[in-house]
Amino acid sequence: MQIDEAKVESPAVTARCSGSDLLRWAGMEAAASELTDPVHFATRRVRAGASLVHQGAVLDSLYFVTSGTLKVFHMDVDGYEQIQAFMLRGDVLGIDGAYEGVHKSGAVALEDSTVAILPFREWVRLGHVIPAFEQLMLQATARELARRGATLQVLAAVGAEVRVARFLLQMARRQALLGYSSRRLVLRMRRRDIASYLGVAHETVSRSLTALADWGYIRVMHREIELLDEAGLDTFQQSTRCPGAARAPRLGAGTWRRPPAATLPLHPPRAAAAVA
Amino acid sequence: MQIDEAKVESPAVTARCSGSDLLRWAGMEAAASELTDPVHFATRRVRAGASLVHQGAVLDSLYFVTSGTLKVFHMDVDGYEQIQAFMLRGDVLGIDGAYEGVHKSGAVALEDSTVAILPFREWVRLGHVIPAFEQLMLQATARELARRGATLQVLAAVGAEVRVARFLLQMARRQALLGYSSRRLVLRMRRRDIASYLGVAHETVSRSLTALADWGYIRVMHREIELLDEAGLDTFQQSTRCPGAARAPRLGAGTWRRPPAATLPLHPPRAAAAVA
DNA sequence: CGCAGCCTTGACCGTTTTCAATGAGGGTGG
DNA sequence: CCACCCTCATTGAAAACGGTCAAGGCTGCG
């Protein structure tokens, strides 16, 4: 393993990576073999802020993220940018466009990133020859679909704090799966991006972050977040739903929020935070 | 074509359908051939209210909807049912579970429905032999992914009325693609399901529907909706966003809502509707 | 006929949005 | 190297939309 974020490949600008690398990054090391070893893919670097995929562009390649972070978004007619997902290493980008042959969403790098280019037609053909690749594709697709489901759950939460909590936990766990610490995480995106993803105003994200910090669940430093009490955060995140047919045992009307207020020094449940 | 909703197959209980049927229903008639003709799949009827897929169940089959409507949902720990999608003819159900081999969400029929059973392993194998099937799978997957994106956009809308408008338009267009009228549509789900899907309270769905009717965009009868002014509804739906980085030229603060109030007899912009 | 679930409508309260201002951070150019 | 500008982030205050609670009407079914 041992892959550093994006500083490698100083020698050749047009780095390549093997099929086995892809499988490893996708968490399918077991499927790597001498069959997938010799297959190589071109890679492409995407500088922070640069665009990898333009919405509406003809789809001729899929992109496998090998390092970095990208945001996938849909631009509406009125110019509003709706973030649909954040892509990390191991994710495959562009599949949704395979339906109409046109990218349904755009993708921009949030930090210097690298992607392996998967020429669509050829990639499909490759899947016929080498089962491992077909499996990879299927897995990536299914995971993407599952992730969208998770995203819907985030949006389903009523309280803004809960949404933010779910978002943090979600990101932390993905990081953990990639081998990074799940306790400390660096948000590569702006508050505004998070807000768009969560479907709230960016000011609300700020406030929620502050609130979660006051509750004692996390610590916020710039874009760096430390999860002080992951278990507690998880408990908090699970409760509190409501729209529609909420069955949730939502605690007494104005009371709720933050059960474990015991050992923590800061502000109590809610009102206090607003006053402070 | 000529497929009636669900009343056919009175003779055999265990009806079957050919691969060509599937392709036709999926809108890929061109791919049907004497290769796909002889391939048959078992079908399964699902009575209104009956469950097709239980969340958490082991995934061994995918389901291709051949008639009817189903809701796909995720049940949270607290018992809250979050609707993720509504499936119509041509949709493939269960793909998201292919990642972990377990269904990530449940599916229940909203009306008597029929599905073709696609034994997962075999279905994948079939894809190798008959390209048309692989294409079908890819297409269904991509469409599903694209649809999730659309769902996110619905959730991204600020105003409840806009969400409902988008939902109606979304459903109408899907119906249209299936060959039905896009003007008149029958909502097979309860208000509560719509509410869950849209992330609002079910009372709000009711109110929004009434509002849209007052605006003159639609006519509501039971679960039957008539789109009186699809173009206008579309215009209305496009505007009005706001959370996050809203750039939208949202009309003057308290004024907005319903530009074309001219020819329409009913209530003006907003307040009036609340008073009535 | 009466119950049960669904839909609609009303009213109040609260969270979130919106508007507005300040401060910190990063980058560029003088 | 510092000044300056721009974007991002945080916080405050007021208004508004939507959620929750509550009740009544409707439909369909047993």
Side-chain angles (χ1 to χ4, degrees):
Chain A
M1 292 273 237
Q2 186 66 348
I3 304 97
D4 42 344
E5 288 291 52
K7 275 158 289 192
V8 223
E9 51 94 43
S10 16
V13 184
T14 52
R16 302 170 72 79
C17 68
S18 75
S20 298
D21 289 334
L22 260 44
L23 289 168
R24 259 190 296 277
W25 284 324
M28 297 172 62
E29 30 275 311
S33 67
E34 60 278 352
L35 249 176
T36 59
D37 241 21
V39 184
H40 282 305
F41 297 93
T43 66
R44 176 169 158 191
R45 299 216 53 187
V46 191
R47 296 250 158 238
S51 176
L52 171 64
V53 173
H54 288 282
Q55 182 176 328
V58 174
L59 181 150
D60 38 39
S61 298
L62 261 29
Y63 300 98
F64 181 104
V65 181
T66 61
S67 80
T69 310
L70 299 97
K71 63 175 177 183
V72 176
F73 60 89
H74 182 93
M75 188 82 81
D76 285 337
V77 285
D78 59 8
Y80 176 74
E81 184 182 288
Q82 161 71 12
I83 272 70
Q84 300 193 328
F86 296 109
M87 304 298 247
L88 267 41
R89 192 208 304 157
D91 292 326
V92 175
L93 211 145
I95 305 176
D96 62 344
Y99 175 39
E100 294 178 327
V102 168
H103 286 287
K104 304 280 290 183
S105 45
V108 166
L110 291 172
E111 62 179 321
D112 289 0
S113 308
T114 326
V115 298
I117 300 172
L118 275 28
F120 191 59
R121 287 272 148 247
E122 184 166 336
W123 171 245
V124 172
R125 201 178 46 65
L126 251 178
H128 298 163
V129 189
I130 305 175
F133 287 150
E134 181 179 52
Q135 221 177 102
L136 172 62
M137 181 64 178
L138 186 62
Q139 204 243 35
T141 301
R143 182 170 49 173
E144 184 60 22
L145 228 24
R147 182 124 59 219
R148 295 281 173 133
T151 298
L152 285 183
Q153 282 183 60
V154 171
L155 282 261
V158 256
E161 288 96 346
V162 175
R163 293 196 194 196
V164 173
R166 289 191 183 180
F167 167 72
L168 291 177
L169 247 9
Q170 197 176 283
M171 289 305 281
R173 280 164 189 167
R174 286 175 73 181
Q175 299 273 34
L177 249 49
L178 293 179
Y180 298 103
S181 162
S182 73
R183 187 179 169 80
R184 179 174 298 275
L185 74 147
V186 180
L187 301 177
R188 271 27 191 266
M189 67 296 288
R190 303 169 305 170
R191 296 284 189 265
R192 177 164 299 200
D193 291 324
I194 301 176
S196 171
Y197 179 70
L198 298 179
V200 298
H202 71 275
E203 293 98 326
T204 303
V205 173
S206 236
R207 278 188 255 270
S208 297
L209 243 17
T210 309
L212 290 174
D214 286 349
W215 292 187
Y217 290 129
I218 61 174
R219 204 152 66 95
V220 183
M221 305 117 81
H222 297 262
R223 290 188 178 178
E224 218 173 304
I225 309 282
E226 185 179 4
L227 273 57
L228 299 174
D229 177 14
E230 184 172 338
L233 191 60
D234 194 47
T235 303
F236 170 73
Q237 160 271 320
Q238 278 185 41
S239 54
T240 321
R241 351 189 83 286
C242 85
R247 284 284 80 73
R250 202 180 169 185
L251 341 189
T255 332
W256 68 305
R257 308 263 190 189
R258 188 83 246 267
T263 54
L264 296 157
L266 292 207
H267 313 72
R270 188 41 175 307
V275 179
Chain B
M1 293 269 239
Q2 185 68 349
I3 304 96
D4 42 344
E5 288 289 51
K7 274 157 289 190
V8 225
E9 51 96 41
S10 17
V13 184
T14 52
R16 301 171 73 78
C17 68
S18 73
S20 298
D21 290 334
L22 260 45
L23 291 168
R24 260 190 296 277
W25 284 324
M28 296 173 64
E29 31 274 311
S33 67
E34 59 278 352
L35 248 177
T36 59
D37 241 19
V39 183
H40 282 323
F41 297 93
T43 67
R44 176 170 159 190
R45 299 217 51 188
V46 190
R47 296 252 158 236
S51 175
L52 171 64
V53 174
H54 288 282
Q55 180 177 329
V58 174
L59 181 150
D60 37 39
S61 299
L62 262 27
Y63 299 98
F64 180 104
V65 182
T66 62
S67 79
T69 310
L70 299 98
K71 64 175 176 182
V72 176
F73 60 89
H74 182 93
M75 189 81 83
D76 284 335
V77 284
D78 58 8
Y80 176 74
E81 184 183 286
Q82 162 72 8
I83 273 70
Q84 299 194 326
F86 295 109
M87 304 298 247
L88 269 38
R89 192 208 304 159
D91 292 326
V92 176
L93 213 145
I95 306 176
D96 62 343
Y99 176 40
E100 296 178 328
V102 167
H103 286 289
K104 303 282 289 184
S105 45
V108 166
L110 292 172
E111 62 179 322
D112 289 1
S113 308
T114 325
V115 298
I117 300 171
L118 276 29
F120 190 59
R121 286 273 149 247
E122 185 167 336
W123 172 245
V124 172
R125 200 178 46 67
L126 251 178
H128 297 165
V129 189
I130 305 175
F133 287 151
E134 182 179 52
Q135 221 176 98
L136 171 62
M137 180 65 178
L138 186 62
Q139 204 242 35
T141 301
R143 182 169 51 174
E144 184 60 22
L145 228 25
R147 181 124 60 222
R148 295 281 173 135
T151 297
L152 285 184
Q153 282 183 58
V154 172
L155 283 257
V158 258
E161 290 95 344
V162 175
R163 292 196 195 196
V164 173
R166 289 191 182 180
F167 168 72
L168 291 177
L169 248 9
Q170 197 176 283
M171 289 306 282
R173 279 161 189 169
R174 286 176 73 181
Q175 298 273 32
L177 248 50
L178 293 179
Y180 299 103
S181 162
S182 73
R183 185 178 171 79
R184 179 175 297 276
L185 75 146
V186 180
L187 301 177
R188 272 26 192 269
M189 66 297 286
R190 302 169 306 169
R191 296 283 189 267
R192 177 165 299 202
D193 292 324
I194 301 176
S196 171
Y197 178 70
L198 297 180
V200 299
H202 70 276
E203 294 98 324
T204 302
V205 173
S206 236
R207 277 187 258 269
S208 298
L209 242 17
T210 308
L212 290 174
D214 287 349
W215 292 189
Y217 290 130
I218 62 174
R219 203 151 67 93
V220 184
M221 306 117 80
H222 297 265
R223 288 188 180 178
E224 218 174 304
I225 308 281
E226 185 180 3
L227 274 55
L228 299 174
D229 178 14
E230 184 173 339
L233 190 60
D234 194 47
T235 303
F236 171 73
Q237 161 270 321
Q238 278 185 41
S239 53
T240 322
R241 351 191 83 284
C242 83
R247 284 283 82 72
R250 201 180 171 185
L251 342 189
T255 333
W256 69 304
R257 306 264 192 189
R258 189 80 248 269
T263 54
L264 296 159
L266 294 207
H267 314 69
R270 187 48 175 304
V275 180

